[in-house]
Amino acid sequence: MSAVKHDASSENPGSQDEALLTPAEAGVTPLPRLDPAADPATQVAALRDHLRHHEYQYYVLDAPTISDQEYDTLMNQLKALEAEHPDLLTPDSPTQRVMGAPAERFAKVAHSRPMLSLDNAYNEEELRDWDRRVHDLAGNLPVVYVAELKLDGLSLALHYEINARGEAHLVRGLTRGDGSIGEDVTTNVRTIRSVPLSIPSAKIHKAHLDSSEDAGPEVKAGFEIRGEVVMPLDAFKKANEERVAAGQAPAANPRNFAAGTLRTLDTQLVAKRRLDFYGYFLVINGEYNPAGQHATLETLTSLGFRVNPHRDTFKSVDQILAFLAKTEESRDSLGYEIDGVVIKVDSQATQLRLGYTGRAPRWAIAYKFTARAAVTQVREIQITVGRTGKLTPLAVLVPVVVGGVTVTNVGLFNADEIARLGIMGGSWVRVQRAGDVIPNIVEVIVDAEHPEGTVPFVLPTHCPVCHQPVEKAEGEVDTYCINIDCPARLWQSLMYFSHRGVMNIEGLGQVLAQQLLESGLVKSIADLYTLTEDQLLTLERVGKKSAEAVLAQIANSKNAGLARVLMGLGIPFVGERTAELLASEFGSMDAVSNASVDELVKVQEIGPKVAAAVHDFFEIPQNRALVARLAELGLKMTAERKQKSNQLEGLTFVLTGTFSTLSREEAKEKIEAAGGKVSGSVSKKTSYLVVGEDAGSKLAKAQELKVATIDEPALLAMLAAPSPAIGEPPSESAPEPAG
Ligand code: IVH
């Protein structure tokens, strides 16, 4: 290997010493027992230390050493302590990533120095030309290159200030904007877990960042980290599925989604989506990377930033070409999008000698990979009818290979999307595939070789399948076929109803469903349950064995239960989770179908949109008739109702000491879930003091006030006891409450 240093093979170069370490091994302050007698400031500091360490393990190194549940427990403990001691709250606490009310708009802020762009090379020849220019201009200065992935996201500048104690705090996050002036998206940036909100003084000192110029009496100095924000592909896929489920058009690619997310005014939403930040530049005293690019990336790693591990230093273009080939091969398995490799001159002295053209440094170049996109022609725009009756346009394409996959048609979401892109029958379009995500049309191309399309798209006024009029609800983007008997809807409904995750009628495949509809044997989902073997045997290619099998599965599905039937009805927005919530809350189809919107929104996790959809569904007489018929045919329409816990109603608990099975926070949650209250101090109103190991002064106070004391097993027994009817006293086995 002739590379100067080869460290790209390890996932986290420069950080192995910190990867997969327990907090103790990483030198994190030991977690004191959460004894209320201990100094709260010490507990808070230790909890924050631990949480930061685990955030770093998870979000920077991708190597968590505790479970999500354990992390949540620590976080809840910190939240509880901070609530009890608001004076201890600091903006860099891990609890404070989501801060403040949404902004009205983002302030415009000038960059410390312009955020430049890069010149591109598209092939070996262009890369060699650039290398020659670099060598010509560098004279006798060293030319060593650092190659990094060109992450396909948006650039971001993070400003840190170093306080009198030598710690750095994130004070600002700016988008690139026009390169000179960016937008202040600090509140959103704070929610990106791989962005440190603060950096301990020891790390700042080790990186010699505290020797930067004085910025005033309060703020000793500052520095800036620049890098790229990306949305990992799995997060992109998940968030896009949620958009589609909520009736919104999906984002075209992870970069757009990341950019849109970072620029939304709803910080809560940003916090919910996963964005990652990869650092690649340090700006200090107005200069880039004084120690050189390679050393800077090491420094950023040691400061706790996520730095992309796929990087290396090279002396020649030949070595770089090998790196490019290797990178392109692994492109699909990275888990995030890249559009090339950035090659930078390592030494700052050489960089300064090479200088800048108007918009880009001469000391760096972006080698662009060919996009996983291709140009093809739209044969026609067809309309498909979904199970909810939604009309979805579909562009039928002249088949084209995009990144190794043949694409023959692309879903277009809705008419607005078609109008926005200007797609017509005959249009030439660029089709793109992001990761393993569904292909989409990015743009229409019109030039000398690609004439404009000839068949404008007009949304039909009638369903293309049943020819009944279609409807577009006010304020909605989508158009629906509202004929519940539409064969297209019915076919989709049958497919959905019989799906493994719904009623699990495996033998009812696409072909059989089609045959059943065409033969008229099935005109509604309910007809499945009256099918006979003789009827099935009249269909082509249906034998005795398969007829028996499918009939057995249909019979079996009668016991699937309320949640599955609710799902199977295809009510908009009612997927597995919502169906289960409805079933366990209402217990019967009668109760669900007669629930008012107000009653529906009272169910946890069910919002007004879903409540309205459920209510509207049961307002339609045909839907009610279908449900009644299914019930008559013997489908199980009940579910076990969630027990409302109220066994601790009217009781107030105080907790002291350490418990052996529950954390204090868990005990509190359980008591509250069972209708009890938890208070921080013992008074005459306290029903029980729950005493753990090493109980503090509260025990003496309880004895003084004659408050009943119980231990953890007694608390668990009370929690496990069946709920008494409202108004009844707590079960006799529980100790007598005081007062
Ligand atoms: S260096 C002089 N390094 O690519 C500033 N940029 O096409 C040049 N990008 O705006 C930036 N990965 O948003 C650099 N490893 C990387 C990068 C990278 C992605 C983006 C960046 C920049 C754009 C230029």
Side-chain angles (χ1 to χ4, degrees):
M1 183 79 216
S2 46
V4 178
K5 180 175 177 291
H6 187 87
D7 55 12
S9 56
S10 105
E11 266 298 304
N12 292 290
S15 60
Q16 292 98 323
D17 52 341
E18 288 187 81
L20 292 169
L21 294 187
T22 63
E25 287 164 334
V28 172
T29 324
L31 208 55
R33 269 207 159 147
L34 288 177
D35 180 350
D39 169 18
T42 314
Q43 292 180 50
V44 164
L47 278 167
R48 284 181 190 159
D49 246 17
H50 272 254
L51 283 161
R52 284 184 192 124
H53 168 76
H54 291 303
E55 279 188 346
Y56 178 74
Q57 289 289 141
Y58 188 97
Y59 291 103
V60 177
L61 302 184
D62 279 334
T65 54
I66 58 171
S67 67
D68 291 0
Q69 214 178 352
E70 287 169 301
Y71 176 85
D72 290 345
T73 306
L74 290 176
M75 184 62 98
N76 288 336
Q77 286 173 348
L78 179 59
K79 279 186 190 159
L81 271 169
E82 286 177 346
E84 248 179 83
H85 305 279
D87 51 311
L88 295 177
L89 202 61
T90 55
D92 69 334
S93 170
T95 60
Q96 301 301 300
R97 284 205 175 258
V98 181
M99 271 183 99
E104 302 250 302
R105 63 191 169 83
F106 299 117
K108 302 249 193 261
V109 179
H111 287 296
S112 62
R113 57 176 299 158
M115 285 181 92
L116 297 178
S117 185
L118 288 169
D119 285 333
N120 299 320
Y122 292 97
N123 52 44
E124 180 179 337
E125 196 189 343
E126 289 176 5
L127 185 64
R128 288 194 188 279
D129 284 348
W130 172 72
D131 171 60
R132 215 169 293 122
R133 285 198 300 277
V134 168
H135 277 276
D136 285 351
L137 290 167
N140 56 358
L141 291 178
V143 176
V144 171
Y145 296 117
V146 176
E148 301 163 22
L149 301 191
K150 188 168 181 323
L151 304 162
D152 198 8
L154 64 148
S155 43
L156 185 73
L158 301 176
H159 292 225
Y160 285 84
E161 281 178 2
I162 304 172
N163 64 18
R165 289 193 302 280
E167 304 151 352
H169 287 268
L170 174 74
V171 289
R172 196 169 301 121
L174 299 180
T175 62
R176 180 173 183 276
D178 64 4
S180 304
I181 295 174
E183 280 185 313
D184 185 337
V185 288
T186 315
T187 45
N188 288 345
V189 168
R190 289 175 59 91
T191 69
I192 303 175
R193 308 300 210 291
S194 44
V195 169
L197 297 179
S198 61
I199 306 170
S201 58
K203 288 188 177 177
I204 295 295
H205 184 67
K206 204 169 149 211
H208 308 295
L209 290 174
D210 45 3
S211 54
S212 65
E213 279 159 12
D214 231 30
E218 282 292 316
V219 180
K220 247 190 115 230
F223 58 89
E224 190 178 329
I225 308 289
R226 292 185 178 179
E228 199 82 354
V229 174
V230 300
M231 183 179 276
L233 287 177
D234 51 358
F236 171 68
K237 218 171 148 187
K238 187 167 159 264
N240 242 356
E241 279 165 11
E242 283 167 13
R243 280 181 70 90
V244 174
Q248 296 167 300
N253 57 51
R255 175 171 25 82
N256 288 3
F257 213 162
T261 301
L262 204 59
R263 297 189 66 256
T264 52
L265 296 167
D266 179 358
T267 303
Q268 302 274 359
L269 183 73
V270 188
K272 267 193 239 150
R273 293 189 187 149
R274 175 151 182 190
L275 294 176
D276 271 331
F277 174 79
Y278 289 89
Y280 49 68
F281 276 156
L282 169 67
V283 185
I284 184 161
N285 298 335
E287 296 215 32
Y288 283 130
N289 314 335
Q293 182 64 19
H294 171 75
T296 296
L297 296 178
E298 299 297 315
T299 302
L300 297 189
T301 306
S302 69
L303 288 173
F305 287 90
R306 194 174 181 127
V307 177
N308 196 281
H310 303 281
R311 60 182 194 261
D312 213 336
T313 44
F314 300 105
K315 275 187 166 161
S316 73
V317 171
D318 288 339
Q319 292 169 348
I320 295 172
L321 288 171
F323 179 82
L324 294 175
K326 194 178 80 179
T327 305
E328 203 158 7
E329 249 173 53
S330 63
R331 189 177 176 187
D332 273 329
S333 55
L334 289 171
Y336 46 83
E337 281 282 289
I338 59 168
D339 57 345
V341 167
V342 182
I343 302 128
K344 299 170 184 168
V345 169
D346 186 29
S347 143
Q348 192 205 29
T350 315
Q351 285 182 4
L352 293 172
R353 167 85 61 93
L354 289 164
Y356 298 83
T357 60
R359 58 180 276 276
R362 285 200 191 87
W363 45 265
I365 196 147
Y367 184 94
K368 295 287 274 277
F369 290 151
T370 39
R372 280 178 298 189
V375 174
T376 189
Q377 199 175 15
V378 176
R379 278 193 175 140
E380 60 170 326
I381 302 174
Q382 288 183 352
I383 293 285
T384 58
V385 184
R387 103 189 113 80
T388 56
K390 186 167 132 185
L391 304 192
T392 305
L394 181 83
V396 182
L397 306 174
V398 173
V400 63
V401 178
V402 185
V405 174
T406 305
V407 181
T408 48
N409 49 48
V410 170
L412 291 169
F413 309 111
N414 54 50
D416 289 5
E417 182 75 358
I418 298 175
R420 188 179 69 79
L421 292 166
I423 304 170
M424 294 190 244
S427 289
W428 288 88
V429 290
R430 187 183 311 282
V431 180
Q432 176 191 270
R433 220 166 49 85
D436 57 353
V437 184
I438 334 148
N440 64 305
I441 292 179
V442 209
E443 59 173 350
V444 170
I445 299 171
V446 184
D447 57 27
E449 286 160 59
H450 304 101
E452 209 171 354
T454 48
V455 188
F457 174 71
V458 186
L459 196 70
T461 50
H462 289 73
C463 171
V465 181
C466 70
H467 311 293
Q468 297 291 312
V470 296
E471 236 183 61
K472 183 171 171 169
E474 228 179 78
E476 280 239 8
V477 277
D478 295 316
T479 303
Y480 289 85
C481 165
I482 49 159
N483 170 18
I484 189 162
D485 297 322
C486 168
R489 289 185 62 177
L490 207 50
W491 182 79
Q492 299 269 8
S493 304
L494 280 178
M495 295 319 304
Y496 181 73
F497 188 79
S498 59
H499 194 271
R500 188 154 19 99
V502 188
M503 300 300 273
N504 195 15
I505 309 172
E506 225 175 288
L508 186 61
Q510 298 194 2
V511 178
L512 182 58
Q514 182 106 22
Q515 285 175 298
L516 288 171
L517 290 173
E518 280 170 4
S519 62
L521 286 175
V522 168
K523 293 196 187 74
S524 141
I525 288 170
D527 293 340
L528 286 177
Y529 293 93
T530 57
L531 280 174
T532 64
E533 193 176 315
D534 286 346
Q535 286 176 329
L536 284 174
L537 288 174
T538 61
L539 302 173
E540 237 177 85
R541 288 186 305 275
V542 178
K544 195 171 161 55
K545 235 176 150 179
S546 58
E548 276 171 7
V550 77
L551 286 176
Q553 286 164 6
I554 291 173
N556 211 14
S557 74
K558 290 185 181 177
N559 296 318
L562 178 59
R564 295 302 183 95
V565 179
L566 277 169
M567 252 178 105
L569 292 174
I571 307 168
F573 309 116
V574 179
E576 187 175 5
R577 172 96 188 129
T578 307
E580 276 168 7
L581 288 171
L582 290 169
S584 71
E585 185 67 31
F586 292 96
S588 72
M589 183 63 89
D590 267 358
V592 179
S593 59
N594 292 320
S596 67
V597 172
D598 281 352
E599 285 164 335
L600 288 161
V601 277
K602 278 199 192 120
V603 180
Q604 266 215 349
E605 290 181 46
I606 291 188
K609 197 166 170 175
V610 178
V614 174
H615 186 258
D616 290 356
F617 180 86
F618 290 109
E619 286 284 276
I620 298 172
Q622 289 102 312
N623 291 343
R624 279 190 176 268
L626 170 66
V627 170
R629 204 167 149 228
L630 288 173
E632 257 171 46
L633 289 163
L635 273 77
K636 188 172 166 219
M637 297 282 190
T638 54
E640 207 154 296
R641 281 188 77 174
K642 189 183 73 192
Q643 284 294 317
K644 273 226 170 63
S645 312
N646 62 353
Q647 66 267 41
L648 301 187
E649 202 165 279
L651 301 179
T652 303
F653 293 77
V654 176
L655 311 174
T656 184
T658 312
F659 304 136
S660 51
T661 59
L662 294 178
S663 73
R664 293 267 297 264
E665 189 56 30
E666 283 164 352
K668 182 169 183 275
E669 277 170 13
K670 282 191 189 295
I671 292 168
E672 287 173 350
K677 277 197 197 133
V678 176
S679 151
S681 55
V682 177
S683 75
K684 284 208 134 175
K685 288 193 186 137
T686 308
S687 317
Y688 297 105
L689 176 71
V690 190
V691 184
E693 227 182 281
D694 298 327
S697 56
K698 286 176 189 165
L699 181 55
K701 183 84 189 271
Q703 283 159 351
E704 187 192 314
L705 295 176
K706 297 205 169 50
V707 168
T709 59
I710 57 171
D711 58 7
E712 189 189 4
L715 172 68
L716 291 171
M718 283 171 84
L719 286 165
S723 299
I726 295 175
E728 259 180 54
S731 105
E732 278 176 9
S733 60
E736 205 52 44

